[in-house]
Amino acid sequence: MLESNAFFDRTYEETMALLVEARNYVAFQEAKDQRGLPPQVRLQISYESLRVTSRLTQVMAWLLALKAVHAHELTADQVLGEQFALSGGAICSDPSGPDNGELPSGLRSLLQRSHSLYMRAERLEDQYRRSVA
């Protein structure tokens, strides 16, 4: 089983930092970035912002479930259920976006980093499932 260690803690901290950064982007920058752009680009910006949010909330929910196992609030078997599994696979694992030059650079950066984090979480989840099984 994945033990609470520096790697896990860094992943949790990275996820939290990206969540805050994504929130700040949506709250303070997204509307500025959309000014004067054609409707289809504004829609793409909104869509990709939602993809970042989906990735990060999925990863954070899974990490919180693992923290609950380490705190003996949940069992390892409980976390293996669908309720705690990473979801959104087709949307969240799609690497597109960072290469779209029409998107603002800050959003492209969030897309790339959230994708990398989500894919790492998928690998960790797979490792966790194998170790518990």
PDB file of all heavy atoms in Angstrom, residues 62-102:
ATOM      1  N   TRP A  62      -9.301  11.961  -4.602  1.00  0.00           N
ATOM      2  CA  TRP A  62      -8.629  10.672  -4.432  1.00  0.00           C
ATOM      3  C   TRP A  62      -7.554  10.758  -3.353  1.00  0.00           C
ATOM      4  O   TRP A  62      -7.429   9.874  -2.505  1.00  0.00           O
ATOM      5  CB  TRP A  62      -8.041  10.221  -5.769  1.00  0.00           C
ATOM      6  CG  TRP A  62      -7.452   8.851  -5.674  1.00  0.00           C
ATOM      7  CD1 TRP A  62      -8.117   7.672  -5.585  1.00  0.00           C
ATOM      8  CD2 TRP A  62      -6.057   8.539  -5.606  1.00  0.00           C
ATOM      9  NE1 TRP A  62      -7.222   6.631  -5.474  1.00  0.00           N
ATOM     10  CE2 TRP A  62      -5.955   7.143  -5.500  1.00  0.00           C
ATOM     11  CE3 TRP A  62      -4.905   9.298  -5.653  1.00  0.00           C
ATOM     12  CZ2 TRP A  62      -4.736   6.494  -5.427  1.00  0.00           C
ATOM     13  CZ3 TRP A  62      -3.686   8.652  -5.587  1.00  0.00           C
ATOM     14  CH2 TRP A  62      -3.612   7.264  -5.470  1.00  0.00           C
ATOM     15  N   LEU A  63      -6.787  11.835  -3.359  1.00  0.00           N
ATOM     16  CA  LEU A  63      -5.751  12.001  -2.334  1.00  0.00           C
ATOM     17  C   LEU A  63      -6.364  12.118  -0.936  1.00  0.00           C
ATOM     18  O   LEU A  63      -5.814  11.577   0.031  1.00  0.00           O
ATOM     19  CB  LEU A  63      -4.895  13.231  -2.634  1.00  0.00           C
ATOM     20  CG  LEU A  63      -3.980  13.123  -3.851  1.00  0.00           C
ATOM     21  CD1 LEU A  63      -3.372  14.479  -4.187  1.00  0.00           C
ATOM     22  CD2 LEU A  63      -2.898  12.076  -3.642  1.00  0.00           C
ATOM     23  N   LEU A  64      -7.479  12.797  -0.813  1.00  0.00           N
ATOM     24  CA  LEU A  64      -8.143  12.906   0.488  1.00  0.00           C
ATOM     25  C   LEU A  64      -8.648  11.546   0.961  1.00  0.00           C
ATOM     26  O   LEU A  64      -8.614  11.249   2.159  1.00  0.00           O
ATOM     27  CB  LEU A  64      -9.272  13.922   0.433  1.00  0.00           C
ATOM     28  CG  LEU A  64      -8.826  15.381   0.346  1.00  0.00           C
ATOM     29  CD1 LEU A  64     -10.032  16.292   0.106  1.00  0.00           C
ATOM     30  CD2 LEU A  64      -8.065  15.798   1.593  1.00  0.00           C
ATOM     31  N   ALA A  65      -9.098  10.712   0.033  1.00  0.00           N
ATOM     32  CA  ALA A  65      -9.515   9.358   0.409  1.00  0.00           C
ATOM     33  C   ALA A  65      -8.316   8.573   0.944  1.00  0.00           C
ATOM     34  O   ALA A  65      -8.427   7.861   1.950  1.00  0.00           O
ATOM     35  CB  ALA A  65     -10.141   8.643  -0.784  1.00  0.00           C
ATOM     36  N   LEU A  66      -7.162   8.717   0.305  1.00  0.00           N
ATOM     37  CA  LEU A  66      -5.960   8.033   0.800  1.00  0.00           C
ATOM     38  C   LEU A  66      -5.546   8.567   2.167  1.00  0.00           C
ATOM     39  O   LEU A  66      -5.135   7.789   3.033  1.00  0.00           O
ATOM     40  CB  LEU A  66      -4.803   8.197  -0.186  1.00  0.00           C
ATOM     41  CG  LEU A  66      -4.848   7.364  -1.449  1.00  0.00           C
ATOM     42  CD1 LEU A  66      -3.568   7.553  -2.245  1.00  0.00           C
ATOM     43  CD2 LEU A  66      -5.062   5.898  -1.153  1.00  0.00           C
ATOM     44  N   LYS A  67      -5.664   9.859   2.361  1.00  0.00           N
ATOM     45  CA  LYS A  67      -5.354  10.426   3.681  1.00  0.00           C
ATOM     46  C   LYS A  67      -6.292   9.840   4.736  1.00  0.00           C
ATOM     47  O   LYS A  67      -5.875   9.595   5.866  1.00  0.00           O
ATOM     48  CB  LYS A  67      -5.482  11.954   3.656  1.00  0.00           C
ATOM     49  CG  LYS A  67      -4.256  12.642   3.131  1.00  0.00           C
ATOM     50  CD  LYS A  67      -4.375  14.146   3.340  1.00  0.00           C
ATOM     51  CE  LYS A  67      -3.029  14.769   3.217  1.00  0.00           C
ATOM     52  NZ  LYS A  67      -2.520  15.326   4.435  1.00  0.00           N
ATOM     53  N   ALA A  68      -7.545   9.609   4.371  1.00  0.00           N
ATOM     54  CA  ALA A  68      -8.500   9.016   5.306  1.00  0.00           C
ATOM     55  C   ALA A  68      -8.105   7.588   5.654  1.00  0.00           C
ATOM     56  O   ALA A  68      -8.296   7.147   6.796  1.00  0.00           O
ATOM     57  CB  ALA A  68      -9.912   9.057   4.721  1.00  0.00           C
ATOM     58  N   VAL A  69      -7.532   6.862   4.703  1.00  0.00           N
ATOM     59  CA  VAL A  69      -7.042   5.510   4.995  1.00  0.00           C
ATOM     60  C   VAL A  69      -5.893   5.591   5.993  1.00  0.00           C
ATOM     61  O   VAL A  69      -5.860   4.854   6.981  1.00  0.00           O
ATOM     62  CB  VAL A  69      -6.597   4.773   3.704  1.00  0.00           C
ATOM     63  CG1 VAL A  69      -5.866   3.476   4.040  1.00  0.00           C
ATOM     64  CG2 VAL A  69      -7.793   4.502   2.806  1.00  0.00           C
ATOM     65  N   HIS A  70      -4.973   6.509   5.761  1.00  0.00           N
ATOM     66  CA  HIS A  70      -3.825   6.655   6.660  1.00  0.00           C
ATOM     67  C   HIS A  70      -4.249   7.098   8.056  1.00  0.00           C
ATOM     68  O   HIS A  70      -3.578   6.775   9.032  1.00  0.00           O
ATOM     69  CB  HIS A  70      -2.800   7.630   6.078  1.00  0.00           C
ATOM     70  CG  HIS A  70      -2.165   7.119   4.824  1.00  0.00           C
ATOM     71  ND1 HIS A  70      -1.383   5.996   4.778  1.00  0.00           N
ATOM     72  CD2 HIS A  70      -2.213   7.582   3.550  1.00  0.00           C
ATOM     73  CE1 HIS A  70      -0.970   5.780   3.549  1.00  0.00           C
ATOM     74  NE2 HIS A  70      -1.464   6.725   2.785  1.00  0.00           N
ATOM     75  N   ALA A  71      -5.366   7.810   8.136  1.00  0.00           N
ATOM     76  CA  ALA A  71      -5.885   8.259   9.436  1.00  0.00           C
ATOM     77  C   ALA A  71      -6.828   7.221  10.048  1.00  0.00           C
ATOM     78  O   ALA A  71      -7.436   7.476  11.087  1.00  0.00           O
ATOM     79  CB  ALA A  71      -6.599   9.593   9.277  1.00  0.00           C
ATOM     80  N   HIS A  72      -6.987   6.074   9.378  1.00  0.00           N
ATOM     81  CA  HIS A  72      -7.848   4.976   9.834  1.00  0.00           C
ATOM     82  C   HIS A  72      -9.322   5.398   9.895  1.00  0.00           C
ATOM     83  O   HIS A  72     -10.075   4.880  10.711  1.00  0.00           O
ATOM     84  CB  HIS A  72      -7.372   4.421  11.182  1.00  0.00           C
ATOM     85  CG  HIS A  72      -5.939   4.006  11.159  1.00  0.00           C
ATOM     86  ND1 HIS A  72      -5.497   2.901  10.464  1.00  0.00           N
ATOM     87  CD2 HIS A  72      -4.835   4.581  11.705  1.00  0.00           C
ATOM     88  CE1 HIS A  72      -4.189   2.793  10.597  1.00  0.00           C
ATOM     89  NE2 HIS A  72      -3.757   3.805  11.344  1.00  0.00           N
ATOM     90  N   GLU A  73      -9.704   6.320   9.019  1.00  0.00           N
ATOM     91  CA  GLU A  73     -11.099   6.726   8.909  1.00  0.00           C
ATOM     92  C   GLU A  73     -11.821   5.911   7.841  1.00  0.00           C
ATOM     93  O   GLU A  73     -13.039   5.802   7.859  1.00  0.00           O
ATOM     94  CB  GLU A  73     -11.189   8.220   8.582  1.00  0.00           C
ATOM     95  CG  GLU A  73     -10.615   9.100   9.684  1.00  0.00           C
ATOM     96  CD  GLU A  73     -10.409  10.538   9.244  1.00  0.00           C
ATOM     97  OE1 GLU A  73     -10.570  10.843   8.046  1.00  0.00           O
ATOM     98  OE2 GLU A  73     -10.078  11.360  10.116  1.00  0.00           O
ATOM     99  N   LEU A  74     -11.062   5.379   6.881  1.00  0.00           N
ATOM    100  CA  LEU A  74     -11.565   4.482   5.848  1.00  0.00           C
ATOM    101  C   LEU A  74     -10.625   3.293   5.768  1.00  0.00           C
ATOM    102  O   LEU A  74      -9.449   3.403   6.124  1.00  0.00           O
ATOM    103  CB  LEU A  74     -11.594   5.175   4.476  1.00  0.00           C
ATOM    104  CG  LEU A  74     -12.552   6.331   4.257  1.00  0.00           C
ATOM    105  CD1 LEU A  74     -12.295   6.972   2.901  1.00  0.00           C
ATOM    106  CD2 LEU A  74     -13.996   5.859   4.343  1.00  0.00           C
ATOM    107  N   THR A  75     -11.149   2.190   5.255  1.00  0.00           N
ATOM    108  CA  THR A  75     -10.280   1.031   5.025  1.00  0.00           C
ATOM    109  C   THR A  75      -9.744   1.086   3.602  1.00  0.00           C
ATOM    110  O   THR A  75     -10.317   1.743   2.732  1.00  0.00           O
ATOM    111  CB  THR A  75     -11.041  -0.289   5.217  1.00  0.00           C
ATOM    112  OG1 THR A  75     -12.021  -0.402   4.182  1.00  0.00           O
ATOM    113  CG2 THR A  75     -11.692  -0.366   6.593  1.00  0.00           C
ATOM    114  N   ALA A  76      -8.655   0.379   3.388  1.00  0.00           N
ATOM    115  CA  ALA A  76      -8.078   0.316   2.045  1.00  0.00           C
ATOM    116  C   ALA A  76      -9.084  -0.259   1.059  1.00  0.00           C
ATOM    117  O   ALA A  76      -9.181   0.221  -0.080  1.00  0.00           O
ATOM    118  CB  ALA A  76      -6.808  -0.520   2.056  1.00  0.00           C
ATOM    119  N   ASP A  77      -9.859  -1.251   1.484  1.00  0.00           N
ATOM    120  CA  ASP A  77     -10.860  -1.842   0.597  1.00  0.00           C
ATOM    121  C   ASP A  77     -11.955  -0.842   0.224  1.00  0.00           C
ATOM    122  O   ASP A  77     -12.447  -0.848  -0.902  1.00  0.00           O
ATOM    123  CB  ASP A  77     -11.491  -3.077   1.246  1.00  0.00           C
ATOM    124  CG  ASP A  77     -10.521  -4.250   1.286  1.00  0.00           C
ATOM    125  OD1 ASP A  77      -9.601  -4.304   0.445  1.00  0.00           O
ATOM    126  OD2 ASP A  77     -10.693  -5.118   2.163  1.00  0.00           O
ATOM    127  N   GLN A  78     -12.338   0.026   1.160  1.00  0.00           N
ATOM    128  CA  GLN A  78     -13.351   1.027   0.856  1.00  0.00           C
ATOM    129  C   GLN A  78     -12.882   1.973  -0.250  1.00  0.00           C
ATOM    130  O   GLN A  78     -13.652   2.350  -1.122  1.00  0.00           O
ATOM    131  CB  GLN A  78     -13.693   1.852   2.102  1.00  0.00           C
ATOM    132  CG  GLN A  78     -14.545   1.121   3.110  1.00  0.00           C
ATOM    133  CD  GLN A  78     -14.754   1.956   4.361  1.00  0.00           C
ATOM    134  OE1 GLN A  78     -13.790   2.396   4.972  1.00  0.00           O
ATOM    135  NE2 GLN A  78     -16.011   2.156   4.721  1.00  0.00           N
ATOM    136  N   VAL A  79     -11.621   2.339  -0.206  1.00  0.00           N
ATOM    137  CA  VAL A  79     -11.090   3.285  -1.179  1.00  0.00           C
ATOM    138  C   VAL A  79     -10.991   2.663  -2.574  1.00  0.00           C
ATOM    139  O   VAL A  79     -10.943   3.373  -3.569  1.00  0.00           O
ATOM    140  CB  VAL A  79      -9.735   3.853  -0.696  1.00  0.00           C
ATOM    141  CG1 VAL A  79      -9.058   4.703  -1.740  1.00  0.00           C
ATOM    142  CG2 VAL A  79      -9.951   4.663   0.571  1.00  0.00           C
ATOM    143  N   LEU A  80     -10.998   1.321  -2.641  1.00  0.00           N
ATOM    144  CA  LEU A  80     -10.948   0.658  -3.935  1.00  0.00           C
ATOM    145  C   LEU A  80     -12.277   0.746  -4.676  1.00  0.00           C
ATOM    146  O   LEU A  80     -12.327   0.509  -5.876  1.00  0.00           O
ATOM    147  CB  LEU A  80     -10.559  -0.810  -3.767  1.00  0.00           C
ATOM    148  CG  LEU A  80      -9.139  -1.065  -3.279  1.00  0.00           C
ATOM    149  CD1 LEU A  80      -8.908  -2.560  -3.120  1.00  0.00           C
ATOM    150  CD2 LEU A  80      -8.123  -0.445  -4.211  1.00  0.00           C
ATOM    151  N   GLY A  81     -13.354   1.125  -4.000  1.00  0.00           N
ATOM    152  CA  GLY A  81     -14.665   1.201  -4.632  1.00  0.00           C
ATOM    153  C   GLY A  81     -14.770   2.359  -5.610  1.00  0.00           C
ATOM    154  O   GLY A  81     -13.967   3.291  -5.609  1.00  0.00           O
ATOM    155  N   GLU A  82     -15.788   2.304  -6.442  1.00  0.00           N
ATOM    156  CA  GLU A  82     -16.013   3.340  -7.449  1.00  0.00           C
ATOM    157  C   GLU A  82     -16.226   4.715  -6.838  1.00  0.00           C
ATOM    158  O   GLU A  82     -15.907   5.732  -7.452  1.00  0.00           O
ATOM    159  CB  GLU A  82     -17.211   2.969  -8.323  1.00  0.00           C
ATOM    160  CG  GLU A  82     -16.913   1.891  -9.335  1.00  0.00           C
ATOM    161  CD  GLU A  82     -15.775   2.284 -10.273  1.00  0.00           C
ATOM    162  OE1 GLU A  82     -15.814   3.379 -10.864  1.00  0.00           O
ATOM    163  OE2 GLU A  82     -14.822   1.492 -10.392  1.00  0.00           O
ATOM    164  N   GLN A  83     -16.764   4.760  -5.641  1.00  0.00           N
ATOM    165  CA  GLN A  83     -17.035   6.031  -4.983  1.00  0.00           C
ATOM    166  C   GLN A  83     -15.772   6.882  -4.838  1.00  0.00           C
ATOM    167  O   GLN A  83     -15.835   8.108  -4.896  1.00  0.00           O
ATOM    168  CB  GLN A  83     -17.649   5.774  -3.609  1.00  0.00           C
ATOM    169  CG  GLN A  83     -17.915   7.023  -2.806  1.00  0.00           C
ATOM    170  CD  GLN A  83     -18.463   6.698  -1.424  1.00  0.00           C
ATOM    171  OE1 GLN A  83     -18.592   5.535  -1.043  1.00  0.00           O
ATOM    172  NE2 GLN A  83     -18.798   7.735  -0.681  1.00  0.00           N
ATOM    173  N   PHE A  84     -14.616   6.241  -4.676  1.00  0.00           N
ATOM    174  CA  PHE A  84     -13.373   6.970  -4.442  1.00  0.00           C
ATOM    175  C   PHE A  84     -12.413   6.903  -5.620  1.00  0.00           C
ATOM    176  O   PHE A  84     -11.322   7.462  -5.554  1.00  0.00           O
ATOM    177  CB  PHE A  84     -12.681   6.438  -3.183  1.00  0.00           C
ATOM    178  CG  PHE A  84     -13.495   6.656  -1.944  1.00  0.00           C
ATOM    179  CD1 PHE A  84     -14.178   5.604  -1.358  1.00  0.00           C
ATOM    180  CD2 PHE A  84     -13.605   7.923  -1.382  1.00  0.00           C
ATOM    181  CE1 PHE A  84     -14.942   5.807  -0.219  1.00  0.00           C
ATOM    182  CE2 PHE A  84     -14.369   8.137  -0.248  1.00  0.00           C
ATOM    183  CZ  PHE A  84     -15.036   7.078   0.331  1.00  0.00           C
ATOM    184  N   ALA A  85     -12.798   6.244  -6.695  1.00  0.00           N
ATOM    185  CA  ALA A  85     -11.912   6.099  -7.850  1.00  0.00           C
ATOM    186  C   ALA A  85     -11.817   7.413  -8.629  1.00  0.00           C
ATOM    187  O   ALA A  85     -12.758   8.211  -8.649  1.00  0.00           O
ATOM    188  CB  ALA A  85     -12.440   5.000  -8.771  1.00  0.00           C
ATOM    189  N   LEU A  86     -10.662   7.619  -9.250  1.00  0.00           N
ATOM    190  CA  LEU A  86     -10.541   8.746 -10.174  1.00  0.00           C
ATOM    191  C   LEU A  86     -11.539   8.544 -11.292  1.00  0.00           C
ATOM    192  O   LEU A  86     -11.695   7.437 -11.796  1.00  0.00           O
ATOM    193  CB  LEU A  86      -9.136   8.792 -10.782  1.00  0.00           C
ATOM    194  CG  LEU A  86      -8.007   9.330  -9.932  1.00  0.00           C
ATOM    195  CD1 LEU A  86      -6.681   9.125 -10.655  1.00  0.00           C
ATOM    196  CD2 LEU A  86      -8.204  10.789  -9.612  1.00  0.00           C
ATOM    197  N   SER A  87     -12.213   9.591 -11.682  1.00  0.00           N
ATOM    198  CA  SER A  87     -13.132   9.469 -12.808  1.00  0.00           C
ATOM    199  C   SER A  87     -12.850  10.580 -13.799  1.00  0.00           C
ATOM    200  O   SER A  87     -11.912  11.347 -13.620  1.00  0.00           O
ATOM    201  CB  SER A  87     -14.592   9.495 -12.325  1.00  0.00           C
ATOM    202  OG  SER A  87     -14.885  10.727 -11.707  1.00  0.00           O
ATOM    203  N   GLY A  88     -13.656  10.645 -14.836  1.00  0.00           N
ATOM    204  CA  GLY A  88     -13.444  11.649 -15.867  1.00  0.00           C
ATOM    205  C   GLY A  88     -12.323  11.280 -16.814  1.00  0.00           C
ATOM    206  O   GLY A  88     -11.739  12.155 -17.453  1.00  0.00           O
ATOM    207  N   GLY A  89     -12.024   9.998 -16.902  1.00  0.00           N
ATOM    208  CA  GLY A  89     -10.865   9.531 -17.648  1.00  0.00           C
ATOM    209  C   GLY A  89     -10.709  10.083 -19.046  1.00  0.00           C
ATOM    210  O   GLY A  89      -9.651  10.602 -19.388  1.00  0.00           O
ATOM    211  N   ALA A  90     -11.744  10.021 -19.880  1.00  0.00           N
ATOM    212  CA  ALA A  90     -11.611  10.465 -21.270  1.00  0.00           C
ATOM    213  C   ALA A  90     -11.340  11.961 -21.357  1.00  0.00           C
ATOM    214  O   ALA A  90     -10.510  12.408 -22.151  1.00  0.00           O
ATOM    215  CB  ALA A  90     -12.867  10.104 -22.053  1.00  0.00           C
ATOM    216  N   ILE A  91     -11.996  12.731 -20.527  1.00  0.00           N
ATOM    217  CA  ILE A  91     -11.818  14.184 -20.557  1.00  0.00           C
ATOM    218  C   ILE A  91     -10.539  14.587 -19.847  1.00  0.00           C
ATOM    219  O   ILE A  91      -9.758  15.395 -20.342  1.00  0.00           O
ATOM    220  CB  ILE A  91     -13.039  14.893 -19.938  1.00  0.00           C
ATOM    221  CG1 ILE A  91     -14.248  14.680 -20.838  1.00  0.00           C
ATOM    222  CG2 ILE A  91     -12.777  16.367 -19.708  1.00  0.00           C
ATOM    223  CD1 ILE A  91     -15.558  15.105 -20.240  1.00  0.00           C
ATOM    224  N   CYS A  92     -10.318  14.014 -18.677  1.00  0.00           N
ATOM    225  CA  CYS A  92      -9.169  14.422 -17.859  1.00  0.00           C
ATOM    226  C   CYS A  92      -7.841  13.926 -18.407  1.00  0.00           C
ATOM    227  O   CYS A  92      -6.812  14.578 -18.228  1.00  0.00           O
ATOM    228  CB  CYS A  92      -9.353  13.944 -16.422  1.00  0.00           C
ATOM    229  SG  CYS A  92     -10.712  14.787 -15.568  1.00  0.00           S
ATOM    230  N   SER A  93      -7.829  12.776 -19.074  1.00  0.00           N
ATOM    231  CA  SER A  93      -6.562  12.244 -19.579  1.00  0.00           C
ATOM    232  C   SER A  93      -6.223  12.759 -20.974  1.00  0.00           C
ATOM    233  O   SER A  93      -5.110  12.532 -21.461  1.00  0.00           O
ATOM    234  CB  SER A  93      -6.576  10.715 -19.567  1.00  0.00           C
ATOM    235  OG  SER A  93      -7.584  10.236 -20.428  1.00  0.00           O
ATOM    236  N   ASP A  94      -7.123  13.491 -21.600  1.00  0.00           N
ATOM    237  CA  ASP A  94      -6.869  14.081 -22.916  1.00  0.00           C
ATOM    238  C   ASP A  94      -5.790  15.168 -22.779  1.00  0.00           C
ATOM    239  O   ASP A  94      -5.982  16.138 -22.054  1.00  0.00           O
ATOM    240  CB  ASP A  94      -8.160  14.684 -23.457  1.00  0.00           C
ATOM    241  CG  ASP A  94      -8.002  15.306 -24.833  1.00  0.00           C
ATOM    242  OD1 ASP A  94      -6.865  15.444 -25.324  1.00  0.00           O
ATOM    243  OD2 ASP A  94      -9.034  15.673 -25.420  1.00  0.00           O
ATOM    244  N   PRO A  95      -4.657  15.011 -23.472  1.00  0.00           N
ATOM    245  CA  PRO A  95      -3.558  15.965 -23.300  1.00  0.00           C
ATOM    246  C   PRO A  95      -3.693  17.238 -24.137  1.00  0.00           C
ATOM    247  O   PRO A  95      -2.834  18.113 -24.083  1.00  0.00           O
ATOM    248  CB  PRO A  95      -2.336  15.161 -23.747  1.00  0.00           C
ATOM    249  CG  PRO A  95      -2.878  14.248 -24.792  1.00  0.00           C
ATOM    250  CD  PRO A  95      -4.278  13.884 -24.317  1.00  0.00           C
ATOM    251  N   SER A  96      -4.765  17.364 -24.919  1.00  0.00           N
ATOM    252  CA  SER A  96      -4.877  18.535 -25.790  1.00  0.00           C
ATOM    253  C   SER A  96      -5.087  19.805 -24.977  1.00  0.00           C
ATOM    254  O   SER A  96      -5.514  19.772 -23.831  1.00  0.00           O
ATOM    255  CB  SER A  96      -6.020  18.347 -26.790  1.00  0.00           C
ATOM    256  OG  SER A  96      -7.248  18.263 -26.108  1.00  0.00           O
ATOM    257  N   GLY A  97      -4.780  20.906 -25.591  1.00  0.00           N
ATOM    258  CA  GLY A  97      -4.967  22.205 -24.956  1.00  0.00           C
ATOM    259  C   GLY A  97      -3.698  23.012 -24.865  1.00  0.00           C
ATOM    260  O   GLY A  97      -3.655  24.145 -25.357  1.00  0.00           O
ATOM    261  N   PRO A  98      -2.638  22.478 -24.233  1.00  0.00           N
ATOM    262  CA  PRO A  98      -1.429  23.288 -24.080  1.00  0.00           C
ATOM    263  C   PRO A  98      -0.809  23.728 -25.410  1.00  0.00           C
ATOM    264  O   PRO A  98      -0.117  24.732 -25.472  1.00  0.00           O
ATOM    265  CB  PRO A  98      -0.469  22.386 -23.317  1.00  0.00           C
ATOM    266  CG  PRO A  98      -1.343  21.438 -22.588  1.00  0.00           C
ATOM    267  CD  PRO A  98      -2.537  21.229 -23.498  1.00  0.00           C
ATOM    268  N   ASP A  99      -1.075  22.984 -26.486  1.00  0.00           N
ATOM    269  CA  ASP A  99      -0.493  23.323 -27.784  1.00  0.00           C
ATOM    270  C   ASP A  99      -1.381  24.268 -28.599  1.00  0.00           C
ATOM    271  O   ASP A  99      -1.019  24.662 -29.695  1.00  0.00           O
ATOM    272  CB  ASP A  99      -0.202  22.048 -28.577  1.00  0.00           C
ATOM    273  CG  ASP A  99      -1.433  21.167 -28.747  1.00  0.00           C
ATOM    274  OD1 ASP A  99      -2.417  21.359 -28.008  1.00  0.00           O
ATOM    275  OD2 ASP A  99      -1.399  20.272 -29.605  1.00  0.00           O
ATOM    276  N   ASN A 100      -2.540  24.655 -28.051  1.00  0.00           N
ATOM    277  CA  ASN A 100      -3.463  25.545 -28.745  1.00  0.00           C
ATOM    278  C   ASN A 100      -3.027  26.999 -28.531  1.00  0.00           C
ATOM    279  O   ASN A 100      -3.244  27.578 -27.473  1.00  0.00           O
ATOM    280  CB  ASN A 100      -4.885  25.320 -28.229  1.00  0.00           C
ATOM    281  CG  ASN A 100      -5.911  26.161 -28.949  1.00  0.00           C
ATOM    282  OD1 ASN A 100      -5.585  27.123 -29.634  1.00  0.00           O
ATOM    283  ND2 ASN A 100      -7.168  25.803 -28.783  1.00  0.00           N
ATOM    284  N   GLY A 101      -2.428  27.589 -29.540  1.00  0.00           N
ATOM    285  CA  GLY A 101      -1.909  28.945 -29.455  1.00  0.00           C
ATOM    286  C   GLY A 101      -2.974  30.013 -29.265  1.00  0.00           C
ATOM    287  O   GLY A 101      -2.651  31.149 -28.926  1.00  0.00           O
ATOM    288  N   GLU A 102      -4.243  29.678 -29.500  1.00  0.00           N
ATOM    289  CA  GLU A 102      -5.318  30.653 -29.278  1.00  0.00           C
ATOM    290  C   GLU A 102      -5.630  30.832 -27.793  1.00  0.00           C
ATOM    291  O   GLU A 102      -6.233  31.815 -27.404  1.00  0.00           O
ATOM    292  CB  GLU A 102      -6.594  30.228 -30.013  1.00  0.00           C
ATOM    293  CG  GLU A 102      -6.488  30.295 -31.519  1.00  0.00           C
ATOM    294  CD  GLU A 102      -7.807  29.972 -32.183  1.00  0.00           C
ATOM    295  OE1 GLU A 102      -8.452  28.968 -31.797  1.00  0.00           O
ATOM    296  OE2 GLU A 102      -8.188  30.737 -33.082  1.00  0.00           O
TER     297      GLU A 102
END
